[in-house]
Amino acid sequence: MTSLDHYRLLGRSGLRVSPLALGTMTFGTEWGWGADAGEARRIFDLYVDRGGNFIDTAVNYTNGASERLVGQFARDKRDRLVLATKFTMARDPGNPNSGGNHRLNMVRSVEQSLRQLDTDRIDLLYLHAWDATTQPDEVLRALDDLVRSGKVQYVGICNTPAWRIAQLQTIADLRGWSPFVALQIEYNLVERTVEHELIPLAASLGLGVLPWSPLGGGVLTGKYTRADLRDSQERAVGTTRASIIASSGLLNERSLDAAETVRAIAWELGATSSQVAIAWTLANPAVTAPVIGARTLEQAQDNFSAVGITLSPDQMARLDQATAPDPIFPGRFLRRPMVEQLIFGGAAVARRV
């Protein structure tokens, strides 16, 4: 059992954050499906009143409306909150330098975020996605310059291959530049492939894991059926929530089976499916705080209560059995009895990781 004011350390840093981060991609109606200013304010106030202090946004969310609303809501309690935002995504369509990981976009994005958030600093700045064009030295030195300037306090990374993060973190440590302290990745009961490389990397190199989409795009809430699965196969890619989940690949037979297992366990606990799905991510020791987004106050109230849910060993085992990802190489190879016999000579040896 825990609550939003039972704070955790973020990765290798000494920063104290709540066990759930408030995701604000839903703040603003500019993308056609978010919460208006009034509802966003009620969600924000509910989170903070319960002791929550970890706010997540990005320079481009709802065309900047998310940061502007967060800035307004946080103004009278700024020093109590940890504001996290992100750069990478294009801020000016058609301008090739308004997006990417290079120094120019990084600095201009931070300047725009500071204006939109109406603050003098960003507590945690994420690289939003690896652009596969900018050199690691340029990224790391620019991030370190922002930290040294005081505009940014800590840095994190999202949506980047494990080998690249390992390279970046190693360079930062060797050169005395600001290391990453947080890793934001898609992680939920229907997207567990990050357990192969990214989560072990985070645990080893000191990055707190912040799962985005802990509800699997809504699949784990039980809102979708086999009929939706048939419809999704014919649905064109678009900007509606239904189109996004249809094109994400998360809506399939296996994920619907997982949702049924979640629903059964929720019934046993007297909880909701959303609470069980979030509680499962919180049970992973590598996870610092799932990022929780909501479009209505009712959704927020339900999701925030997940911190009070405890899953039994049997329930965890059932969820694991229903959703465990297939092994990949080299893990698949190294776990073969013959290979273990060759490595350890038949002796029983405890593993560190």
Side-chain angles (χ1 to χ4, degrees):
M1 298 287 287
T2 188
S3 60
L4 291 178
D5 60 358
H6 285 192
Y7 303 106
R8 301 175 168 192
L9 293 179
L10 179 60
R12 65 198 290 182
S13 79
L15 192 64
R16 290 89 163 177
V17 297
S18 293
L20 298 179
L22 177 62
T24 64
M25 190 172 72
T26 55
F27 282 17
T29 58
E30 284 72 7
W31 286 355
W33 44 262
D36 62 26
E39 191 74 348
R41 181 67 197 239
R42 287 185 283 273
I43 293 168
F44 182 93
D45 287 346
L46 174 68
Y47 176 77
V48 174
D49 288 346
R50 290 193 179 186
N53 75 337
F54 198 9
I55 314 296
D56 183 89
T57 185
V59 68
N60 66 305
Y61 284 172
T62 52
N63 302 334
S66 173
E67 284 193 336
R68 288 190 291 271
L69 289 171
V70 168
Q72 294 172 25
F73 304 160
R75 187 171 295 129
D76 63 347
K77 52 183 72 68
R78 176 65 184 90
D79 286 341
R80 291 182 50 201
L81 302 176
V82 175
L83 294 189
T85 192
K86 311 176 191 76
F87 81 97
T88 297
M89 306 307 180
R91 295 167 292 106
D92 179 17
N95 176 358
N97 285 317
S98 74
N101 301 147
H102 53 89
R103 179 186 288 267
L104 175 59
N105 182 54
M106 185 191 304
V107 172
R108 295 309 302 271
S109 292
V110 165
E111 291 171 347
Q112 183 169 334
S113 286
L114 290 171
R115 289 193 300 271
Q116 291 179 168
L117 289 166
D118 190 24
T119 186
D120 63 345
R121 70 188 186 280
I122 292 165
D123 299 318
L124 174 62
L125 177 68
Y126 288 104
L127 182 152
H128 206 162
W130 189 249
D131 68 7
T133 59
T134 309
Q135 291 296 312
D137 283 9
E138 180 177 346
V139 173
L140 291 167
R141 179 57 191 272
L143 286 170
D144 188 65
D145 285 347
L146 286 169
V147 172
R148 291 174 187 272
S149 74
K151 292 180 180 179
V152 171
Q153 306 301 306
Y154 296 95
V155 294
I157 192 165
C158 316
N159 311 316
T160 298
W163 72 267
R164 178 66 79 182
I165 299 172
Q167 178 195 39
L168 292 163
Q169 192 77 325
T170 301
I171 293 172
D173 282 344
L174 287 172
R175 297 192 176 176
W177 291 340
S178 300
F180 295 117
V181 301
L183 172 64
Q184 193 172 137
I185 48 176
E186 183 177 12
Y187 184 43
N188 52 60
L189 278 162
V190 294
E191 175 44 82
R192 293 182 57 183
T193 59
V194 293
E195 292 177 7
H196 293 310
E197 299 286 350
L198 283 160
I199 287 183
L201 172 142
S204 177
L205 297 185
L207 288 78
V209 175
L210 294 101
W212 59 262
S213 193
L215 301 181
V219 173
L220 295 168
T221 67
K223 67 189 292 185
Y224 295 103
T225 67
R226 261 63 185 180
D228 295 303
L229 181 61
R230 290 191 296 272
D231 289 344
S232 73
Q233 295 168 350
E234 302 174 355
R235 197 187 306 275
V237 174
T239 58
T240 66
R241 295 285 285 182
S243 296
I244 290 170
I245 187 60
S247 64
S248 71
L250 293 178
L251 187 57
N252 52 53
E253 290 285 352
R254 188 178 185 186
S255 66
L256 291 175
D257 289 342
E260 290 178 2
T261 303
V262 170
R263 186 184 305 112
I265 291 173
W267 182 85
E268 294 168 8
L269 293 169
T272 66
S273 291
S274 297
Q275 291 167 356
V276 169
I278 295 167
W280 178 84
T281 66
L282 278 167
N284 189 317
V287 169
T288 299
V291 180
I292 306 300
R295 289 183 296 112
T296 68
L297 184 64
E298 182 181 15
Q299 289 174 349
Q301 290 171 327
D302 179 62
N303 292 345
F304 297 162
S305 296
V307 293
I309 301 297
T310 300
L311 300 172
S312 70
D314 173 70
Q315 290 166 338
M316 289 291 293
R318 286 158 57 194
L319 290 169
D320 185 67
Q321 182 178 16
T323 64
D326 294 330
I328 62 171
F329 184 87
R332 181 183 68 246
F333 170 77
L334 295 173
R335 292 296 181 265
R336 291 177 185 172
M338 181 187 72
V339 176
E340 291 190 336
Q341 170 85 11
L342 291 170
I343 292 173
F344 300 112
V349 178
R351 296 185 181 89
R352 286 197 175 94
V353 293

